[in-house]
Amino acid sequence: MAKRGGGFPGGMMPGSMNNLMKQAQRMQRQIEDGQKELETKEFTATTGGGAVTATVNGKKELLSIKLLEDIVDPEDIETLQDSIVAAVNEAIKQAEAANEELMSKMSGGFGGLGGLPF
């Protein structure tokens, strides 16, 4: 008796598997290149009406904090602290959003990976 399905999982032909592997490798290189580029970008957020500015890179590392003299009030240090935290968190959110956008673009070729045959 002859085997049915040709012996390949899911009935895939060997050439189809090679093409799929090449496409996956290409996508992996594109993601790596995009992540390297993203790591060099800077994301800046300002709070307190421009009183606090925080800058992070794509690795979510804090690069700088800039303060206007007006916000430095020894009687109200909590406002300064809150403004710094808010600015840093917003800059990090921008970096995360850029990373998510990159991943979404890169996985688009695979339909969010839902188009894979397994």
Side-chain angles (χ1 to χ4, degrees):
M1 265 190 160
K3 285 187 177 181
R4 301 185 92 176
F8 293 105
M12 290 185 70
M13 298 300 292
S16 298
M17 184 59 82
N18 284 339
N19 288 337
L20 182 62
M21 292 302 292
K22 287 179 184 178
Q23 193 173 9
Q25 289 170 344
R26 184 173 42 249
M27 185 173 90
Q28 183 177 1
R29 279 192 306 273
Q30 289 174 337
I31 289 172
E32 288 170 358
D33 292 345
Q35 286 176 329
K36 285 178 187 175
E37 182 181 331
L38 183 64
E39 288 175 357
T40 65
K41 289 187 177 184
E42 294 183 2
F43 303 90
T44 301
T46 303
T47 60
V52 176
T53 301
T55 302
V56 300
N57 63 17
K59 294 188 232 180
K60 302 174 198 161
E61 298 170 333
L62 182 62
L63 300 177
S64 70
I65 294 279
K66 294 181 183 171
L67 308 173
L68 293 181
E69 287 183 30
D70 298 353
I71 197 161
V72 182
D73 179 0
E75 302 295 319
D76 187 15
I77 199 75
E78 289 175 3
T79 298
L80 174 59
Q81 292 168 337
D82 291 345
S83 293
I84 290 171
V85 169
V88 171
N89 284 336
E90 180 57 34
I92 289 171
K93 283 180 189 175
Q94 290 176 20
E96 288 173 346
N99 187 49
E100 288 175 17
E101 182 180 338
L102 170 70
M103 296 311 251
S104 176
K105 280 183 188 177
M106 294 299 146
S107 66
F110 280 103
L113 298 180
L116 290 176
F118 47 87

